[in-house]
Amino acid sequence: MTDDLRSFVDLLESRDQLIRVSQPVSPKLEITEIVDRVSKGRVEQNKALLFENPAGYDIPVLINMFGSAERMAWALHVDELEDLRRDLGALLDMRLPQGPIKALKRGKALFDAVRAAGLRPRRVRRANVQQVVTSEDPSLDGIPILTCWPQDGGPFITLPQVVTRHPETGVRNVGMYRLQKVDSRTLLVHWQRHKGGAEHERAALETQSSGEESQAAIPAAVVLGGDPATIWSASAPLPPDVDEYLLAGWLRGEPVPLVECVSQPLEVPANADIVIEGVIDPNDQRLEGPFGDHTGYYTPVERFPAFHVTAITRRSEPIYPATVVGIPPMEDYWMGKATERLFLPLVQLFLPEVVDFAMPVPGVFHNLVLVSIEKQFPGHARKVIHGLWGLALLSLAKGIVVFDEWVDVQDPTEAAWQALGNVDWSHDVIINDGAVDHLDHASYHHSFGGKIGIDATAKLPEEGYTRDWPEVVRMDPEVEARIDALWAELDLA
């Protein structure tokens, strides 16, 4: 089992999925250029990269470790990403409840079952991440934080676990929010308005006493490295009262060991590489950005709260994990694909007619969702479109296309063939206004804009279709079987 970053590096190397770069390469732009070429190159070139000598630093940089289906699966302790769906489906028993109340009860039972299995995070006293402790005059300057793109506002931490607790309930949130380095003691936290960390900020501002701004300060920790499953779990779109480290424990098959921070009332993964402790001050809002984002565009400058460093702890020989986002495809696509596979059974709790769904690369997660369903009645596709728009972060999807169950939504060519051929644009389209992703630059208003739903299923007479729907061209199965038997002799492979 890989329980930290170094053991994952060893695993990748043993499976010929790691390249060690010994030449000095600058964290400012140069690492990004190399990673971008590798991410968009031939499949055999797409490997994890360990920059052993980032120019000016003595901490190596690991990047692109999640950058393929195989590596992403290994990071989550499975052989292939489809195992995530099968494993969670088995836990849910797949006898899906009918109706939202029963679905909610089943979802709660799922996390209760995980807790009962002894996978709740456990406290430890000693931790590798505290082999070196700097609590007096801590500095970010020794960490090889990347400046990814030419117009970026500065260096950004791109693969963190940002740990906070709700100011009122004490419920832990672990989010993956980029952090811009301002100086040796200050970061800016880009948590978008739909994310759990931003809710903690709103709650802190609401609970502070009038005239006492210091009461709004939020204890926080930026965790870098550790078990790759724990890193990825920070990106998972979980309900606000579900601990991301509980999910990580289920993926690992054993609890995440946590240790108390040295300067903040929080616990962090004991097997991490670096932990930056501090406080986030919602009253200290500063301009953050620009940043070359996963949309392929620079996101504009906005105000976000400052993180003030109080201590830094680390392993004696840490590895700094990073990722680069930009014009797709990049490493983050495979992180999203893991989310898609794992959360399909949860979508089916609420919408049992869903067969599969996919978020293709060009859609950069929130722009396009392709869904196949077992269509049972007139208007069924529209029911699913509206259902998805009311479900967690799928509510931010700008475009949803619904297909019949036999369509492979994981195949963009097949999906496009059906979508373009099966749609009458004057009848089969829903256009609404609603919540969209914080990073959506096309919406005329921030985080609010137009959304489209498309019914690409075969139409029924009850839906107003007065013609006979055509049959898909298929070969006779007996002919297929005869040619299968003859194929090797034809020498056409």
Side-chain angles (χ1 to χ4, degrees):
M1 174 180 176
T2 58
D3 62 358
D4 60 22
L5 214 49
R6 194 164 295 278
S7 61
F8 191 59
V9 165
D10 292 341
L11 174 70
L12 294 178
E13 194 159 34
S14 71
R15 296 178 178 179
D16 193 27
Q17 285 293 306
L18 179 81
I19 298 174
R20 292 178 178 268
V21 180
S22 59
Q23 298 94 328
V25 178
S26 174
K28 185 173 182 179
L29 305 183
E30 292 183 355
I31 287 180
T32 293
E33 178 61 17
I34 293 171
V35 173
D36 193 44
R37 295 186 188 193
V38 169
S39 296
K40 294 177 171 61
R42 298 194 306 271
V43 173
E44 61 268 23
Q45 293 177 325
N46 182 1
K47 298 182 180 182
L49 302 171
L50 183 65
F51 292 91
E52 297 179 307
N53 297 295
Y57 300 89
D58 58 7
I59 298 176
V61 175
L62 178 65
I63 200 163
N64 204 35
M65 64 173 161
F66 298 137
S68 72
E70 285 182 324
R71 296 198 297 277
M72 188 70 256
W74 300 339
L76 301 186
H77 304 275
V78 293
D79 293 326
E80 57 183 38
L81 290 176
E82 200 62 25
D83 292 340
L84 297 171
R85 179 191 62 80
R86 287 194 289 265
D87 292 348
L88 187 57
L91 184 61
L92 290 170
D93 196 25
M94 295 312 291
R95 290 192 288 259
L96 300 175
Q98 298 296 320
I101 301 301
K102 291 183 179 179
L104 284 170
K105 290 181 178 178
R106 177 66 65 84
K108 183 178 184 299
L110 162 67
F111 293 109
D112 287 346
V114 174
R115 292 186 182 98
L119 298 178
R120 186 190 296 271
R122 60 182 175 85
R123 184 82 63 85
V124 298
R125 291 186 177 182
R126 296 182 180 275
N128 289 331
V129 76
Q130 293 179 350
Q131 290 173 338
V132 178
V133 176
T134 306
S135 55
E136 291 188 13
D137 197 24
S139 174
L140 299 167
D141 292 343
I143 304 174
I145 303 173
L146 306 188
T147 300
C148 296
W149 299 104
Q151 302 304 318
D152 281 0
F156 283 84
I157 295 174
T158 53
L159 202 62
Q161 306 157 57
V162 180
V163 182
T164 56
R165 287 191 178 274
H166 193 284
E168 295 178 329
T169 67
V171 172
R172 177 169 42 230
N173 180 75
V174 186
M176 188 170 287
Y177 315 123
R178 74 181 190 234
L179 301 125
Q180 180 178 343
K181 179 184 174 184
V182 177
D183 55 42
S184 64
R185 298 284 293 269
T186 312
L187 300 164
L188 300 179
V189 187
H190 187 277
W191 47 30
Q192 300 163 24
R193 61 177 55 183
H194 303 109
K195 303 300 176 68
E199 174 57 31
H200 289 193
E201 178 185 353
R202 286 190 290 270
L205 289 170
E206 289 173 1
T207 57
Q208 74 178 6
S209 299
S210 177
E212 299 208 21
E213 293 186 349
S214 62
Q215 291 191 5
I218 303 170
V222 176
V223 180
L224 301 169
D227 185 345
T230 307
I231 298 172
W232 175 85
S233 293
S235 71
L238 293 177
D241 58 346
V242 176
D243 190 342
E244 285 78 8
Y245 289 149
L246 186 66
L247 172 62
W250 179 73
L251 292 167
R252 289 161 44 87
E254 63 180 44
V256 176
L258 301 180
V259 68
E260 289 187 17
C261 289
V262 300
S263 67
Q264 297 299 327
L266 295 169
E267 302 83 34
V268 291
N271 54 5
D273 286 72
I274 302 169
V275 172
I276 305 166
E277 301 179 11
V279 293
I280 297 172
D281 186 354
N283 294 293
D284 185 2
Q285 299 281 330
R286 306 191 193 183
L287 294 176
E288 187 263 7
F291 177 73
D293 222 319
H294 71 267
T295 60
Y297 291 84
Y298 287 100
T299 51
V301 173
E302 291 185 74
R303 290 191 176 275
F304 283 96
F307 177 110
H308 299 283
V309 179
T310 57
I312 296 177
T313 70
R314 64 176 179 87
R315 289 172 176 256
S316 57
E317 295 184 350
I319 297 173
Y320 176 70
T323 190
V324 172
V325 293
I327 298 173
M330 300 290 277
E331 179 179 15
D332 59 314
Y333 168 70
W334 296 107
M335 298 176 70
K337 178 58 72 173
T339 301
E340 174 197 296
R341 294 296 83 200
L342 181 63
F343 282 81
L344 174 58
L346 294 177
V347 169
Q348 291 168 328
L349 280 175
F350 296 88
L351 298 168
E353 60 271 82
V354 169
V355 175
D356 197 6
F357 80 101
M359 297 178 288
V361 172
V364 293
F365 310 117
H366 58 269
N367 285 336
L368 181 62
V369 180
L370 309 178
V371 189
S372 57
I373 67 168
E374 295 179 4
K375 185 172 179 178
Q376 300 165 2
F377 51 80
H380 201 163
R382 292 172 180 256
K383 179 251 190 185
V384 170
I385 291 169
H386 288 294
L388 292 173
W389 275 337
L391 191 58
L393 288 182
L394 284 172
S395 64
L396 304 179
K398 285 178 64 176
I400 297 175
V401 188
V402 180
F403 303 88
D404 290 302
E405 61 183 299
W406 62 268
V407 177
D408 182 5
V409 294
Q410 303 297 332
D411 181 346
T413 299
E414 182 166 294
W417 163 51
Q418 285 296 294
L420 296 174
N422 280 9
V423 174
D424 181 328
W425 298 107
S426 66
H427 291 85
D428 302 330
V429 175
I430 302 168
I431 296 180
N432 285 333
D433 288 327
V436 296
D437 192 271
H438 186 111
L439 300 179
D440 182 61
H441 61 271
S443 58
Y444 282 63
H445 303 282
H446 196 304
S447 305
F448 183 81
K451 302 152 76 72
I452 189 168
I454 299 173
D455 178 1
T457 63
K459 304 308 181 296
L460 303 172
E462 297 91 335
E463 294 173 310
Y465 188 81
T466 58
R467 305 163 64 193
D468 292 331
W469 193 265
E471 184 178 348
V472 176
V473 175
R474 303 287 188 194
M475 180 50 69
D476 186 314
E478 292 184 2
V479 174
E480 286 185 336
R482 289 200 301 271
I483 298 302
D484 284 343
L486 184 62
W487 191 255
E489 300 177 25
L490 297 176
D491 195 27
L492 295 176

